[in-house]
Amino acid sequence: MNHISKKKPEKDRLPTLLMEKGVRPTRQRLVLASYLFNGCHKHVTAEQVMAAVKKRKQTGVSLATVYNSLHTFTEAGLLREIPVGQTCSFFDTNTSGHHHFFDEVSGQLCDIPADALRVSGVLTPPAGRKIGSMDVTVRLVKASSRS
Amino acid sequence: MNHISKKKPEKDRLPTLLMEKGVRPTRQRLVLASYLFNGCHKHVTAEQVMAAVKKRKQTGVSLATVYNSLHTFTEAGLLREIPVGQTCSFFDTNTSGHHHFFDEVSGQLCDIPADALRVSGVLTPPAGRKIGSMDVTVRLVKASSRS
DNA sequence: GTGTTTGCAAAGTGTTTGCAATTTA
DNA sequence: TAAATTGCAAACACTTTGCAAACAC
């Protein structure tokens, strides 16, 4: 059989993805990457990642490593951290510019379609600073409650 | 002397302010209100409020009461809570719609002039939900560091 | 008086860290 | 083999809570 394929076999996709970003593809990081970067964008917290890993019976990844890896991936540009208040950190596998609804009832984050919201203006950061990121988070509450 | 004045004496301003919002003007809440609602808008954390109260030698307000009161004031519409990540909660004495720079270097929050940033679009919240609030937070980093 | 608020200290939550053992290049 | 990474448990920072005493109306 022709096992020298010109295309990367699927099994090499994730190690390659990490290496391209300068992230050493350790076993634990590959377990996390296989959940995070499976083609379906998601918003996750560290706890959710931990739970997902456990559900797939892929053991041997500690919570500390989940936190470390989420930050490593974020620094490498593979994830985007979404600030949602002091409850917990969300990480978004879609790193391109878009904004979010944060549903305070369910604790879930979901995308606002890019064309539904436009932010415009000319921002001048204070001296010695530059804009690191801009996030628009629209908080959702129960429809019955008063504003 | 005509001590029945038609205008509220200054000393009654804060008790009245709280009572109008249905917040019982206890001694501790008045101490906090005298710092928060002195006419100069500010962004504060619970620790900062605690420190300010101590500096004015107005003792007898515990940290737990600061937290309780900040939330009470927020529910009453006297403050606005600004979500800035999981570091700590900021409260803004300016409750009208405006947005913020969050300086990650100094940990300070500062206003973005209302006319410097325009958010437009037609947002349709998911079923059973309505928009509670919208926040734009622009994170500032050191000018030298890469994006 | 009666229900609300306070203060303390203890518990809680989400996250980070120190360091020896392990793994990767 | 040298440097990076992991896992555990302890440490952490910020916040909330339980409950008796104090207070506001």
Side-chain angles (χ1 to χ4, degrees):
Chain A
M1 72 247 340
N2 172 18
H3 47 269
I4 311 250
S5 160
K6 259 151 283 168
K7 288 182 185 292
K8 289 276 177 206
E10 171 59 18
K11 62 179 297 231
D12 280 348
R13 206 192 97 238
L14 291 171
T16 303
L17 175 67
L18 298 193
M19 282 191 289
E20 277 170 354
K21 298 287 187 172
V23 174
R24 196 184 277 192
T26 67
R27 187 183 64 77
Q28 289 87 344
R29 287 173 180 172
L30 289 171
V31 167
L32 299 178
S34 76
Y35 165 64
L36 293 169
F37 309 125
N38 63 356
C40 166
H41 280 313
K42 40 180 83 71
H43 308 106
V44 291
T45 64
E47 286 297 344
Q48 286 168 6
V49 173
M50 198 65 200
V53 164
K54 273 185 189 144
K55 184 152 49 181
R56 297 162 147 221
K57 307 212 170 49
Q58 293 174 301
T59 51
V61 183
S62 75
L63 185 57
T65 297
V66 170
Y67 277 104
N68 286 340
S69 301
L70 288 175
H71 287 139
T72 302
F73 290 167
T74 301
E75 277 158 31
L78 290 163
L79 293 177
R80 188 156 79 104
E81 191 165 3
I82 312 292
V84 171
Q86 64 290 352
T87 50
C88 59
S89 292
F90 274 87
F91 293 86
D92 190 342
T93 59
N94 179 357
T95 57
S96 62
H98 67 286
H99 303 296
H100 297 94
F101 282 125
F102 177 55
D103 186 335
E104 300 203 327
V105 181
S106 69
Q108 297 253 312
L109 205 63
C110 78
D111 284 351
I112 292 177
D115 56 3
L117 198 62
R118 174 166 296 111
V119 179
S120 57
V122 183
L123 288 181
T124 319
R129 297 288 135 74
K130 63 176 200 172
I131 293 174
S133 63
M134 167 168 349
D135 288 285
V136 179
T137 304
V138 177
R139 311 191 148 243
L140 299 175
V141 295
K142 266 215 297 286
S144 54
S145 73
R146 65 276 172 278
S147 176
Chain B
M1 72 245 338
N2 173 18
H3 46 273
I4 311 252
S5 159
K6 262 150 278 169
K7 288 182 186 291
K8 289 275 179 207
E10 171 59 16
K11 60 179 296 230
D12 281 349
R13 205 192 97 236
L14 292 170
T16 303
L17 176 68
L18 298 192
M19 282 192 289
E20 277 170 353
K21 298 285 187 173
V23 175
R24 193 183 280 191
T26 66
R27 187 182 64 76
Q28 289 86 345
R29 286 173 180 170
L30 288 171
V31 167
L32 299 178
S34 76
Y35 165 63
L36 293 168
F37 309 127
N38 63 355
C40 166
H41 281 312
K42 39 180 84 70
H43 308 107
V44 292
T45 63
E47 286 297 343
Q48 286 168 6
V49 173
M50 197 65 200
V53 165
K54 273 185 191 146
K55 186 153 45 181
R56 297 162 148 226
K57 307 211 169 48
Q58 294 175 300
T59 51
V61 183
S62 74
L63 184 58
T65 296
V66 170
Y67 278 104
N68 287 339
S69 301
L70 289 175
H71 287 138
T72 302
F73 291 167
T74 301
E75 278 158 30
L78 290 163
L79 293 177
R80 189 155 79 103
E81 190 165 2
I82 312 292
V84 170
Q86 62 291 350
T87 49
C88 58
S89 291
F90 274 87
F91 294 85
D92 190 342
T93 58
N94 179 357
T95 58
S96 62
H98 66 287
H99 303 296
H100 297 95
F101 283 124
F102 177 55
D103 186 336
E104 301 204 326
V105 181
S106 69
Q108 296 255 312
L109 204 63
C110 78
D111 284 352
I112 293 176
D115 58 1
L117 198 63
R118 174 165 296 109
V119 179
S120 56
V122 182
L123 288 181
T124 319
R129 298 287 137 72
K130 64 174 198 172
I131 293 174
S133 63
M134 171 172 338
D135 289 285
V136 180
T137 304
V138 177
R139 311 192 148 242
L140 300 175
V141 296
K142 266 215 298 288
S144 54
S145 71
R146 67 273 171 281
S147 177

